[in-house]
Amino acid sequence: METNTAQQESMMHSEPQKEHHWLQRLVGEWTYETEASMGPDQPPAKCMGNESVRSLGELWVVAEGYGEMPDGDTATTMMTLGYDSQKQQYVGTWVGSMMTYLWTYKGEMNTTETVLSLHSEGPAMSGEGKMAEYKDVIEFKGDDHRVMTSHLLKDDGQWQQFMTVNYHRK
C-alpha cells in the first residue's frame, strides 16, 4: 500500500491551532492547594504542592506535580494534554505515584473558551473493582490563577464534585 507523501507530511508536522494556544496558558511554575472530600462524615482533607508545566513543542503540555497526600505521604503526578485536530477534541493522560491506573482523557472546551472539561473512566472509589465515570474541569480565573474540580458521575446521572485544586502561578 502506497502512502500519499503530502498526507504523511501533514501527519508528521501539525501547525498549532487556537486549542493548542489555549493549553500554553498552563505553562509555568505553580503552587497548589487541594481540598478533597474524604467521606460523608469526615472533614475535607487539605494538601499543598507544586506543579511544573512545560511545553512539548507547541502542541502538547506536560505537567508534573509534587505534593502531599491526605495520609501524609508524598505523591508525584504527571499529566499530558493536547488537542487532536482529527478527532476535534482535547486528549490527555494522567498518572500518579500512588496508583497503578493510567487515566486517559477526552475533552472539550466551553463556548467562552474559559473551561476545559476532561472526561475519563477509572476505578470506582467504592473499591469494589468496578469502573466509574469521572470529569476534571480546568477553569482559568485569571492568567495566574486556575481551578481544577474533579467530579464523579453518580448512579442517578448527576455529577458529584469531590475535589477542588486552586493553582497559583509562582
PDB file of all heavy atoms in Angstrom, residues 47-73:
ATOM      1  N   CYS A  47      -4.342  19.610  51.240  1.00  0.00           N
ATOM      2  CA  CYS A  47      -2.952  19.303  50.920  1.00  0.00           C
ATOM      3  C   CYS A  47      -2.380  20.430  50.070  1.00  0.00           C
ATOM      4  O   CYS A  47      -3.113  21.175  49.427  1.00  0.00           O
ATOM      5  CB  CYS A  47      -2.843  17.994  50.142  1.00  0.00           C
ATOM      6  SG  CYS A  47      -3.590  16.590  50.964  1.00  0.00           S
ATOM      7  N   MET A  48      -1.039  20.502  50.028  1.00  0.00           N
ATOM      8  CA  MET A  48      -0.372  21.515  49.222  1.00  0.00           C
ATOM      9  C   MET A  48       0.723  20.867  48.382  1.00  0.00           C
ATOM     10  O   MET A  48       1.180  19.772  48.692  1.00  0.00           O
ATOM     11  CB  MET A  48       0.230  22.595  50.120  1.00  0.00           C
ATOM     12  CG  MET A  48      -0.822  23.351  50.914  1.00  0.00           C
ATOM     13  SD  MET A  48      -0.117  24.494  52.114  1.00  0.00           S
ATOM     14  CE  MET A  48       0.924  25.493  51.095  1.00  0.00           C
ATOM     15  N   GLY A  49       1.133  21.579  47.326  1.00  0.00           N
ATOM     16  CA  GLY A  49       2.206  21.073  46.494  1.00  0.00           C
ATOM     17  C   GLY A  49       2.613  22.067  45.431  1.00  0.00           C
ATOM     18  O   GLY A  49       2.180  23.233  45.442  1.00  0.00           O
ATOM     19  N   ASN A  50       3.437  21.604  44.528  1.00  0.00           N
ATOM     20  CA  ASN A  50       3.952  22.412  43.416  1.00  0.00           C
ATOM     21  C   ASN A  50       3.731  21.664  42.117  1.00  0.00           C
ATOM     22  O   ASN A  50       3.726  20.431  42.094  1.00  0.00           O
ATOM     23  CB  ASN A  50       5.452  22.667  43.596  1.00  0.00           C
ATOM     24  CG  ASN A  50       5.739  23.505  44.807  1.00  0.00           C
ATOM     25  OD1 ASN A  50       5.394  24.676  44.848  1.00  0.00           O
ATOM     26  ND2 ASN A  50       6.343  22.911  45.818  1.00  0.00           N
ATOM     27  N   GLU A  51       3.589  22.431  41.046  1.00  0.00           N
ATOM     28  CA  GLU A  51       3.440  21.834  39.723  1.00  0.00           C
ATOM     29  C   GLU A  51       4.287  22.625  38.735  1.00  0.00           C
ATOM     30  O   GLU A  51       4.288  23.851  38.748  1.00  0.00           O
ATOM     31  CB  GLU A  51       1.982  21.852  39.285  1.00  0.00           C
ATOM     32  CG  GLU A  51       1.774  21.166  37.937  1.00  0.00           C
ATOM     33  CD  GLU A  51       0.335  21.241  37.473  1.00  0.00           C
ATOM     34  OE1 GLU A  51      -0.159  22.365  37.265  1.00  0.00           O
ATOM     35  OE2 GLU A  51      -0.274  20.177  37.315  1.00  0.00           O
ATOM     36  N   SER A  52       4.976  21.900  37.890  1.00  0.00           N
ATOM     37  CA  SER A  52       5.770  22.499  36.822  1.00  0.00           C
ATOM     38  C   SER A  52       5.173  22.040  35.493  1.00  0.00           C
ATOM     39  O   SER A  52       5.067  20.838  35.246  1.00  0.00           O
ATOM     40  CB  SER A  52       7.224  22.037  36.941  1.00  0.00           C
ATOM     41  OG  SER A  52       8.001  22.611  35.919  1.00  0.00           O
ATOM     42  N   VAL A  53       4.753  22.998  34.666  1.00  0.00           N
ATOM     43  CA  VAL A  53       4.131  22.675  33.379  1.00  0.00           C
ATOM     44  C   VAL A  53       5.041  23.189  32.274  1.00  0.00           C
ATOM     45  O   VAL A  53       5.409  24.370  32.256  1.00  0.00           O
ATOM     46  CB  VAL A  53       2.725  23.302  33.244  1.00  0.00           C
ATOM     47  CG1 VAL A  53       2.073  22.867  31.938  1.00  0.00           C
ATOM     48  CG2 VAL A  53       1.852  22.938  34.437  1.00  0.00           C
ATOM     49  N   ARG A  54       5.388  22.295  31.369  1.00  0.00           N
ATOM     50  CA  ARG A  54       6.245  22.689  30.246  1.00  0.00           C
ATOM     51  C   ARG A  54       5.553  22.340  28.941  1.00  0.00           C
ATOM     52  O   ARG A  54       4.655  21.506  28.879  1.00  0.00           O
ATOM     53  CB  ARG A  54       7.613  22.011  30.335  1.00  0.00           C
ATOM     54  CG  ARG A  54       7.579  20.515  30.250  1.00  0.00           C
ATOM     55  CD  ARG A  54       8.973  19.907  30.461  1.00  0.00           C
ATOM     56  NE  ARG A  54       8.907  18.475  30.607  1.00  0.00           N
ATOM     57  CZ  ARG A  54       8.915  17.622  29.599  1.00  0.00           C
ATOM     58  NH1 ARG A  54       9.010  18.059  28.357  1.00  0.00           N
ATOM     59  NH2 ARG A  54       8.854  16.331  29.811  1.00  0.00           N
ATOM     60  N   SER A  55       6.028  22.982  27.907  1.00  0.00           N
ATOM     61  CA  SER A  55       5.500  22.753  26.575  1.00  0.00           C
ATOM     62  C   SER A  55       6.303  21.653  25.901  1.00  0.00           C
ATOM     63  O   SER A  55       7.521  21.584  26.052  1.00  0.00           O
ATOM     64  CB  SER A  55       5.614  24.059  25.778  1.00  0.00           C
ATOM     65  OG  SER A  55       5.028  23.916  24.518  1.00  0.00           O
ATOM     66  N   LEU A  56       5.622  20.795  25.171  1.00  0.00           N
ATOM     67  CA  LEU A  56       6.268  19.781  24.351  1.00  0.00           C
ATOM     68  C   LEU A  56       5.967  20.198  22.921  1.00  0.00           C
ATOM     69  O   LEU A  56       4.873  19.916  22.399  1.00  0.00           O
ATOM     70  CB  LEU A  56       5.703  18.396  24.687  1.00  0.00           C
ATOM     71  CG  LEU A  56       6.354  17.185  24.024  1.00  0.00           C
ATOM     72  CD1 LEU A  56       7.810  17.065  24.456  1.00  0.00           C
ATOM     73  CD2 LEU A  56       5.600  15.926  24.401  1.00  0.00           C
ATOM     74  N   GLY A  57       6.898  20.929  22.339  1.00  0.00           N
ATOM     75  CA  GLY A  57       6.603  21.587  21.074  1.00  0.00           C
ATOM     76  C   GLY A  57       5.544  22.643  21.353  1.00  0.00           C
ATOM     77  O   GLY A  57       5.448  23.162  22.452  1.00  0.00           O
ATOM     78  N   GLU A  58       4.734  22.948  20.372  1.00  0.00           N
ATOM     79  CA  GLU A  58       3.649  23.906  20.574  1.00  0.00           C
ATOM     80  C   GLU A  58       2.294  23.203  20.626  1.00  0.00           C
ATOM     81  O   GLU A  58       1.256  23.854  20.676  1.00  0.00           O
ATOM     82  CB  GLU A  58       3.651  24.934  19.441  1.00  0.00           C
ATOM     83  CG  GLU A  58       4.903  25.791  19.394  1.00  0.00           C
ATOM     84  CD  GLU A  58       4.878  26.764  18.232  1.00  0.00           C
ATOM     85  OE1 GLU A  58       3.904  27.526  18.112  1.00  0.00           O
ATOM     86  OE2 GLU A  58       5.834  26.747  17.447  1.00  0.00           O
ATOM     87  N   LEU A  59       2.321  21.856  20.630  1.00  0.00           N
ATOM     88  CA  LEU A  59       1.082  21.094  20.527  1.00  0.00           C
ATOM     89  C   LEU A  59       0.649  20.411  21.818  1.00  0.00           C
ATOM     90  O   LEU A  59      -0.516  20.066  21.973  1.00  0.00           O
ATOM     91  CB  LEU A  59       1.220  20.044  19.417  1.00  0.00           C
ATOM     92  CG  LEU A  59       1.585  20.592  18.037  1.00  0.00           C
ATOM     93  CD1 LEU A  59       1.830  19.453  17.061  1.00  0.00           C
ATOM     94  CD2 LEU A  59       0.507  21.532  17.532  1.00  0.00           C
ATOM     95  N   TRP A  60       1.573  20.194  22.736  1.00  0.00           N
ATOM     96  CA  TRP A  60       1.298  19.455  23.967  1.00  0.00           C
ATOM     97  C   TRP A  60       1.825  20.220  25.169  1.00  0.00           C
ATOM     98  O   TRP A  60       2.780  20.991  25.047  1.00  0.00           O
ATOM     99  CB  TRP A  60       1.990  18.085  23.941  1.00  0.00           C
ATOM    100  CG  TRP A  60       1.482  17.183  22.867  1.00  0.00           C
ATOM    101  CD1 TRP A  60       1.969  17.075  21.595  1.00  0.00           C
ATOM    102  CD2 TRP A  60       0.380  16.286  22.954  1.00  0.00           C
ATOM    103  NE1 TRP A  60       1.236  16.147  20.897  1.00  0.00           N
ATOM    104  CE2 TRP A  60       0.258  15.652  21.698  1.00  0.00           C
ATOM    105  CE3 TRP A  60      -0.504  15.948  23.966  1.00  0.00           C
ATOM    106  CZ2 TRP A  60      -0.721  14.702  21.439  1.00  0.00           C
ATOM    107  CZ3 TRP A  60      -1.475  14.996  23.709  1.00  0.00           C
ATOM    108  CH2 TRP A  60      -1.576  14.384  22.453  1.00  0.00           C
ATOM    109  N   VAL A  61       1.240  19.944  26.340  1.00  0.00           N
ATOM    110  CA  VAL A  61       1.818  20.388  27.602  1.00  0.00           C
ATOM    111  C   VAL A  61       1.978  19.170  28.498  1.00  0.00           C
ATOM    112  O   VAL A  61       1.194  18.211  28.422  1.00  0.00           O
ATOM    113  CB  VAL A  61       0.991  21.486  28.308  1.00  0.00           C
ATOM    114  CG1 VAL A  61       0.987  22.768  27.489  1.00  0.00           C
ATOM    115  CG2 VAL A  61      -0.412  21.031  28.621  1.00  0.00           C
ATOM    116  N   VAL A  62       3.010  19.220  29.327  1.00  0.00           N
ATOM    117  CA  VAL A  62       3.305  18.155  30.276  1.00  0.00           C
ATOM    118  C   VAL A  62       3.389  18.809  31.652  1.00  0.00           C
ATOM    119  O   VAL A  62       4.178  19.734  31.854  1.00  0.00           O
ATOM    120  CB  VAL A  62       4.640  17.446  29.936  1.00  0.00           C
ATOM    121  CG1 VAL A  62       4.963  16.378  30.965  1.00  0.00           C
ATOM    122  CG2 VAL A  62       4.596  16.863  28.533  1.00  0.00           C
ATOM    123  N   ALA A  63       2.565  18.342  32.583  1.00  0.00           N
ATOM    124  CA  ALA A  63       2.514  18.908  33.927  1.00  0.00           C
ATOM    125  C   ALA A  63       2.982  17.866  34.941  1.00  0.00           C
ATOM    126  O   ALA A  63       2.428  16.772  35.007  1.00  0.00           O
ATOM    127  CB  ALA A  63       1.082  19.341  34.251  1.00  0.00           C
ATOM    128  N   GLU A  64       4.005  18.219  35.710  1.00  0.00           N
ATOM    129  CA  GLU A  64       4.486  17.322  36.753  1.00  0.00           C
ATOM    130  C   GLU A  64       4.243  17.974  38.106  1.00  0.00           C
ATOM    131  O   GLU A  64       4.696  19.084  38.360  1.00  0.00           O
ATOM    132  CB  GLU A  64       5.975  17.013  36.582  1.00  0.00           C
ATOM    133  CG  GLU A  64       6.452  15.986  37.585  1.00  0.00           C
ATOM    134  CD  GLU A  64       7.853  15.453  37.299  1.00  0.00           C
ATOM    135  OE1 GLU A  64       8.493  15.932  36.365  1.00  0.00           O
ATOM    136  OE2 GLU A  64       8.281  14.553  38.033  1.00  0.00           O
ATOM    137  N   GLY A  65       3.480  17.266  38.941  1.00  0.00           N
ATOM    138  CA  GLY A  65       3.158  17.772  40.264  1.00  0.00           C
ATOM    139  C   GLY A  65       3.863  16.978  41.343  1.00  0.00           C
ATOM    140  O   GLY A  65       4.155  15.790  41.183  1.00  0.00           O
ATOM    141  N   TYR A  66       4.130  17.671  42.459  1.00  0.00           N
ATOM    142  CA  TYR A  66       4.765  17.022  43.599  1.00  0.00           C
ATOM    143  C   TYR A  66       4.171  17.644  44.859  1.00  0.00           C
ATOM    144  O   TYR A  66       4.212  18.865  45.017  1.00  0.00           O
ATOM    145  CB  TYR A  66       6.283  17.230  43.566  1.00  0.00           C
ATOM    146  CG  TYR A  66       7.005  16.538  44.684  1.00  0.00           C
ATOM    147  CD1 TYR A  66       7.292  15.177  44.608  1.00  0.00           C
ATOM    148  CD2 TYR A  66       7.379  17.232  45.825  1.00  0.00           C
ATOM    149  CE1 TYR A  66       7.941  14.536  45.641  1.00  0.00           C
ATOM    150  CE2 TYR A  66       8.033  16.585  46.870  1.00  0.00           C
ATOM    151  CZ  TYR A  66       8.312  15.243  46.772  1.00  0.00           C
ATOM    152  OH  TYR A  66       8.944  14.593  47.797  1.00  0.00           O
ATOM    153  N   GLY A  67       3.586  16.808  45.722  1.00  0.00           N
ATOM    154  CA  GLY A  67       2.986  17.370  46.923  1.00  0.00           C
ATOM    155  C   GLY A  67       2.561  16.325  47.921  1.00  0.00           C
ATOM    156  O   GLY A  67       2.894  15.152  47.808  1.00  0.00           O
ATOM    157  N   GLU A  68       1.789  16.809  48.889  1.00  0.00           N
ATOM    158  CA  GLU A  68       1.326  15.984  49.994  1.00  0.00           C
ATOM    159  C   GLU A  68       0.087  15.189  49.613  1.00  0.00           C
ATOM    160  O   GLU A  68      -0.689  15.609  48.774  1.00  0.00           O
ATOM    161  CB  GLU A  68       0.919  16.856  51.185  1.00  0.00           C
ATOM    162  CG  GLU A  68       1.852  17.946  51.554  1.00  0.00           C
ATOM    163  CD  GLU A  68       1.252  18.878  52.616  1.00  0.00           C
ATOM    164  OE1 GLU A  68       0.017  19.108  52.628  1.00  0.00           O
ATOM    165  OE2 GLU A  68       2.032  19.365  53.428  1.00  0.00           O
ATOM    166  N   MET A  69      -0.066  14.075  50.309  1.00  0.00           N
ATOM    167  CA  MET A  69      -1.296  13.277  50.230  1.00  0.00           C
ATOM    168  C   MET A  69      -2.017  13.455  51.572  1.00  0.00           C
ATOM    169  O   MET A  69      -1.382  13.805  52.567  1.00  0.00           O
ATOM    170  CB  MET A  69      -0.957  11.796  50.023  1.00  0.00           C
ATOM    171  CG  MET A  69      -0.263  11.486  48.727  1.00  0.00           C
ATOM    172  SD  MET A  69      -1.417  11.171  47.417  1.00  0.00           S
ATOM    173  CE  MET A  69      -2.259   9.712  48.020  1.00  0.00           C
ATOM    174  N   PRO A  70      -3.332  13.192  51.621  1.00  0.00           N
ATOM    175  CA  PRO A  70      -4.055  13.329  52.890  1.00  0.00           C
ATOM    176  C   PRO A  70      -3.471  12.488  54.028  1.00  0.00           C
ATOM    177  O   PRO A  70      -3.550  12.875  55.187  1.00  0.00           O
ATOM    178  CB  PRO A  70      -5.469  12.864  52.542  1.00  0.00           C
ATOM    179  CG  PRO A  70      -5.612  13.146  51.089  1.00  0.00           C
ATOM    180  CD  PRO A  70      -4.235  12.901  50.510  1.00  0.00           C
ATOM    181  N   ASP A  71      -2.840  11.343  53.707  1.00  0.00           N
ATOM    182  CA  ASP A  71      -2.280  10.476  54.755  1.00  0.00           C
ATOM    183  C   ASP A  71      -0.869  10.896  55.174  1.00  0.00           C
ATOM    184  O   ASP A  71      -0.231  10.230  55.979  1.00  0.00           O
ATOM    185  CB  ASP A  71      -2.276   9.020  54.297  1.00  0.00           C
ATOM    186  CG  ASP A  71      -1.393   8.768  53.079  1.00  0.00           C
ATOM    187  OD1 ASP A  71      -0.711   9.706  52.604  1.00  0.00           O
ATOM    188  OD2 ASP A  71      -1.402   7.622  52.590  1.00  0.00           O
ATOM    189  N   GLY A  72      -0.361  12.012  54.596  1.00  0.00           N
ATOM    190  CA  GLY A  72       0.966  12.490  54.970  1.00  0.00           C
ATOM    191  C   GLY A  72       2.069  12.048  54.026  1.00  0.00           C
ATOM    192  O   GLY A  72       3.180  12.580  54.076  1.00  0.00           O
ATOM    193  N   ASP A  73       1.809  11.052  53.178  1.00  0.00           N
ATOM    194  CA  ASP A  73       2.798  10.628  52.180  1.00  0.00           C
ATOM    195  C   ASP A  73       2.941  11.713  51.112  1.00  0.00           C
ATOM    196  O   ASP A  73       2.117  12.618  51.011  1.00  0.00           O
ATOM    197  CB  ASP A  73       2.372   9.318  51.509  1.00  0.00           C
ATOM    198  CG  ASP A  73       2.581   8.108  52.400  1.00  0.00           C
ATOM    199  OD1 ASP A  73       3.296   8.221  53.409  1.00  0.00           O
ATOM    200  OD2 ASP A  73       2.008   7.045  52.076  1.00  0.00           O
TER     201      ASP A  73
END
